[in-house]
Amino acid sequence: MSGRLRATPEGCKRVRVKFSLILVVFLFATSLCGGMQAQTPTAHFVGSESCKNCHAATYNGWKQTRMANVVRDPKAHPQAVLADFTHPDPLVTFKLDDVAFVYGSRWKQRFFTKRGDDYYPEPAQWDVKKGRWLPYHAEPGTDWWLPFYGPSNFDRPTGPTCDGCHSVNYDVETKHVTEWNVGCEKCHGPGSLHVAHPTRSNIVNPNRLDSVLGNDTCIQCHSQGRPVSNPIAGSYFDWPVGFLPGERLVDFWRLEELKSGVTNFFQYADLTAHKNRMQGNDFVQSNMYHRQIRCFDCHQVHSNQNESNLIAKGNAVCLSCHTKENPAGLSGTVSEHTHHAAGSAGSQCVSCHMPKIEQTIKDNYVSAHTFRFISPTETEQSGIPNPCTSCHTDKSAGWAINELRGWKTTSPWRVAQ
């Protein structure tokens, strides 16, 4: 018994005292650590100018892009006004002096006026490509949010319907922004910690995210959908309120529900988008997305060197991946694949795989992003435009089907059925 510890009242008392002291120290340390964690600074938005000193080349390239110049104050930037305000037009019931912001520069230009603490769209827009005025008014049965607002443009503030994608850090309560346009932090998240102490770990770089989160950075604005929680602050929003780069967009945003066989404002019967701002809706259906291609594998958002901010010109974008060594590449030349002369419009990859069939303004169209070849058979069945007769406008879908059936280098089951 001499080698064993004896449980005496005094011994038990000493053990309890020691345990109590240990517990107090542990609780104190836990409380201290919790307090220290609570005091860890949270990143906040600081604006794109804060990025310029360290990332001058990237900043200067981005500054020239349309994303950096989506909305402009015409008083500060008179050169941003593309529309003709010198000749009267019955559609134009407002003056340039009434315009707080001009929006857009490639396909269309719209005009926002400020009333109170909100902006509202004027009822006319400028067709940039065709140099003409067109009415601007969303009609009933089109956008999903229309029933929640009045019939006039001046019942429809741009804050809930537009501004979240045309700014950085739009506050739904105060209606203030850190900056207008698609600034650095729209894609990289709040940058205060990174500006104070630059490291790879305290800023979001979409290029280092997985393909889903990386693409979410772009899809947040290049898609049609609606927030998971609506209404928000008493209004119905048409952009993903609260989303930050690096987070899962699906937690904030639901893509517009598409229904096979239906043609409506949003879609064609094969689920290809019918309207602009649906590149994300298209892309998530594609084999490219399934193979983990990211938007910025093709688009260089820090440069406007090439059309649509592409990383290269023409077929060079596609052929950088679709090489002969790639199972998804060409087995012969481009012209052997397309059955069109080398260098012609018909031998451009995008002509067949990204046809311009999605409406952006009246009869101006932008490219589909499903990358599917739309057979003329689908035109006969459901009316969706196909790339063959969209180019050969004097020919019928039946003519195109017969032509495709004669191609020996392409499966007839893929192109003519």
Side-chain angles (χ1 to χ4, degrees):
M1 297 295 292
S2 61
R4 297 182 180 178
L5 294 175
R6 292 185 178 182
T8 64
E10 293 79 6
C12 291
K13 184 177 180 180
R14 287 195 296 271
V15 169
R16 285 195 295 270
V17 170
K18 289 180 179 180
F19 178 77
S20 297
L21 289 172
I22 292 171
L23 181 60
V24 168
V25 171
F26 173 76
L27 291 175
F28 176 76
T30 302
S31 174
L32 181 62
C33 290
M36 291 173 63
Q37 289 176 352
Q39 295 172 11
T40 300
T42 301
H44 58 270
F45 291 90
V46 291
S48 298
E49 284 286 333
S50 301
C51 309
K52 183 177 181 179
N53 287 341
C54 294
H55 303 281
T58 300
Y59 175 91
N60 291 330
W62 158 81
K63 194 69 174 175
Q64 306 306 311
T65 66
R66 288 187 300 275
M67 296 182 77
N69 298 279
V70 177
V71 291
R72 308 294 276 170
D73 179 349
K75 296 176 180 62
H77 305 278
Q79 75 283 0
V81 180
L82 304 179
D84 180 5
F85 280 91
T86 61
H87 298 90
D89 190 287
L91 293 174
V92 184
T93 57
F94 58 97
K95 298 178 181 178
L96 185 56
D97 288 343
D98 301 327
V99 176
F101 283 136
V102 296
Y103 157 81
S105 61
R106 184 179 182 186
W107 301 101
K108 60 204 172 205
Q109 189 163 83
R110 291 171 178 165
F111 307 90
F112 300 162
T113 189
K114 192 170 187 180
R115 296 187 176 186
D117 57 359
D118 273 314
Y119 296 89
Y120 296 85
E122 293 287 359
Q125 59 185 333
W126 181 253
D127 182 341
V128 174
K129 294 298 181 183
K130 296 181 172 60
R132 58 182 175 173
W133 286 103
L134 294 171
Y136 177 56
H137 181 71
E139 299 299 329
T142 55
D143 276 309
W144 66 266
W145 49 265
L146 287 170
F148 302 103
Y149 294 90
S152 165
N153 281 14
F154 299 108
D155 298 318
R156 303 167 178 179
T158 63
T161 58
C162 306
D163 292 346
C165 285
H166 302 159
S167 68
V168 175
N169 189 33
Y170 182 96
D171 188 313
V172 300
E173 297 286 351
T174 67
K175 303 177 185 178
H176 293 161
V177 303
T178 296
E179 66 179 306
W180 289 103
N181 297 302
V182 184
C184 304
E185 292 166 298
K186 192 67 180 177
C187 302
H188 294 279
S192 62
L193 299 182
H194 186 72
V195 170
H197 181 63
T199 70
R200 288 166 60 102
S201 62
N202 61 9
I203 196 69
V204 174
N205 183 344
N207 198 43
R208 295 200 297 267
L209 298 174
D210 66 46
S211 63
V212 173
L213 298 183
N215 281 320
D216 281 351
T217 308
C218 307
I219 293 174
Q220 64 169 311
C221 289
H222 290 273
S223 65
Q224 182 71 48
R226 54 193 83 183
V228 173
S229 300
N230 241 343
I232 301 167
S235 297
Y236 286 83
F237 283 77
D238 195 30
W239 48 271
V241 177
F243 171 77
L244 292 175
E247 297 178 328
R248 285 165 46 87
L249 182 60
V250 72
D251 294 334
F252 300 84
W253 188 241
R254 294 285 183 268
L255 293 180
E256 192 66 37
E257 182 181 359
L258 303 180
K259 299 176 182 179
S260 182
V262 173
T263 297
N264 59 26
F265 176 69
F266 296 110
Q267 65 164 91
Y268 292 105
D270 75 334
L271 307 184
T272 300
H274 197 187
K275 67 181 291 284
N276 187 31
R277 212 199 93 179
M278 293 187 67
Q279 293 88 352
N281 305 68
D282 275 356
F283 188 45
V284 297
Q285 304 175 45
S286 71
N287 283 334
M288 303 271 277
Y289 181 85
H290 176 65
R291 298 297 182 188
Q292 302 182 14
I293 301 300
R294 290 103 36 104
C295 305
F296 41 84
D297 290 328
C298 298
H299 297 277
Q300 167 52 277
V301 297
H302 299 128
S303 170
N304 68 342
Q305 184 175 356
N306 297 311
E307 185 178 7
S308 298
N309 306 97
L310 292 170
I311 60 172
K313 293 183 178 180
N315 288 345
V317 180
C318 306
L319 296 179
S320 63
C321 288
H322 292 276
T323 62
K324 289 181 171 60
E325 293 72 29
N326 186 332
L330 302 182
S331 56
T333 65
V334 172
S335 58
E336 287 172 341
H337 175 73
T338 64
H339 293 255
H340 287 74
S344 68
S347 271
Q348 294 297 306
C349 304
V350 295
S351 295
C352 292
H353 293 281
M354 299 183 69
K356 292 185 183 297
I357 60 174
E358 302 183 2
Q359 187 181 53
T360 180
I361 173 175
K362 200 172 175 59
D363 50 359
N364 290 305
Y365 297 87
V366 297
S367 296
H369 278 70
T370 62
F371 304 99
R372 291 192 294 261
F373 173 76
I374 300 169
S375 170
T377 302
E378 295 181 75
T379 305
E380 290 192 333
Q381 293 173 344
S382 62
I384 179 172
N386 72 81
C388 301
T389 56
S390 293
C391 184
H392 298 277
T393 55
D394 59 330
K395 304 294 185 181
S396 67
W399 167 84
I401 292 169
N402 288 331
E403 288 292 314
L404 291 170
R405 284 175 178 162
W407 289 12
K408 304 302 182 183
T409 57
T410 306
S411 168
W413 313 113
R414 295 279 291 178
V415 298
Q417 297 284 332

